[in-house]
């Protein structure tokens, strides 16, 4: 969508609401692309969550997030917290093909 809009001279923005830090970190990374020229709508995790499942906590100052220093999306998933909050878990395995 970013590229299609850019080819047509249409500026884009990125925003969201109830995402955890995983979704928010993707929004932030996406918003760094060249054609994201309109102000984004990605707030700090604490606006919606008492405790987020990523670290460091997503903080915003003056409309910009503080860079985390981690590679990739920039935030690590707190797997111990995800495990603690998990209510139900299901494992799906691929079927083996018979040759």
């Amino acid at each position: 969508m970013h590229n299609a809009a850019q080819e047509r001279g249409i500026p884009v923005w990125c925003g969201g609401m109830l995402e955890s830090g995983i979704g928010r970190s993707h929004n932030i990374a996406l918003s760094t692309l060249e054609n994201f020229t309109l102000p984004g709508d990605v707030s700090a995790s604490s606006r919606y969550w008492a405790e987020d499942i990523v670290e460091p906590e997503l903080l915003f100052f003056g409309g910009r997030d503080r860079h985390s220093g981690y590679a990739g999306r920039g935030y690590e998933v707190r797997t111990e917290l995800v495990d603690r909050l998990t209510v139900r878990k299901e494992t799906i395995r691929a079927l083996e093909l018979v040759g």
Side-chain angles (χ1 to χ4, degrees), residues 33-72:
L33 294 175
E34 181 181 347
N35 196 42
F36 280 87
T37 56
L38 301 173
D41 180 21
V42 182
S43 60
S45 297
S46 61
R47 182 171 184 171
Y48 298 103
W49 307 105
E51 186 174 19
D52 204 348
I53 59 173
V54 296
E55 60 184 359
E57 179 182 1
L58 284 136
L59 301 173
F60 294 82
F61 300 98
R64 296 180 169 259
D65 79 304
R66 185 167 57 181
H67 189 272
S68 66
Y70 287 102

Side-chain angles (χ1 to χ4, degrees), residues 14-32:
C14 183
M17 288 186 61
L18 298 175
E19 298 97 346
S20 70
I22 295 170
R24 288 177 189 280
S25 65
H26 284 285
N27 289 348
I28 292 167
L30 187 62
S31 295
T32 65

Side-chain angles (χ1 to χ4, degrees), residues 1-13 35-38:
M1 293 305 296
H2 167 271
N3 294 350
Q6 186 174 33
E7 290 167 4
R8 290 159 180 81
I10 302 168
V12 294
W13 70 278
N35 196 42
F36 280 87
T37 56
L38 301 173

